[in-house]
Amino acid sequence: MKQFTFSEMNRASGEILEAALVEPVSLTKRGKDKLVILTAEQYRKLIGRSHTQAYGLLDAPEDIHRELMTGLEDIIGTDNA
């Protein structure tokens, strides 16, 4: 899986999204995996596995939802103040 930082996502989002069409892409912040971008087909296969837990943005537990929103805000440069 290719890895990119949130800063790289801000500078080269098109290239990173193109890479995600080929294979899942990990977005990291401060050296830790925070988000994974994958195709809809890959996602459907993932949620079909009973031993793997996957959430959509709206059905994620509060702590995971908060982390997802923080990551997305960092990528698009918004502030939730």
Side-chain angles (χ1 to χ4, degrees):
M1 177 178 345
K2 291 185 179 181
Q3 289 188 333
F4 297 92
T5 65
F6 278 33
S7 296
E8 290 170 324
M9 182 65 174
N10 287 329
R11 290 190 306 269
S13 59
E15 176 185 331
I16 293 170
L17 293 175
E18 285 293 322
L21 291 171
V22 177
E23 66 178 312
V25 168
S26 171
L27 295 179
T28 63
K29 184 174 183 179
R30 296 185 184 100
K32 295 182 180 180
D33 290 333
K34 293 293 182 181
L35 298 170
V36 175
I37 303 171
L38 58 150
T39 65
E41 180 181 348
Q42 292 165 334
Y43 174 74
R44 284 190 290 275
K45 287 180 183 176
L46 178 66
I47 63 172
R49 296 181 185 161
S50 60
H51 67 278
T52 302
Q53 185 65 48
Y55 302 103
L57 185 59
L58 300 177
D59 66 347
E62 182 59 33
D63 59 326
I64 294 173
H65 184 267
R66 190 172 33 257
E67 187 170 341
L68 287 170
M69 292 306 297
T70 299
L72 291 172
E73 289 165 357
D74 287 345
I75 290 170
I76 61 175
T78 61
D79 209 343
N80 196 13

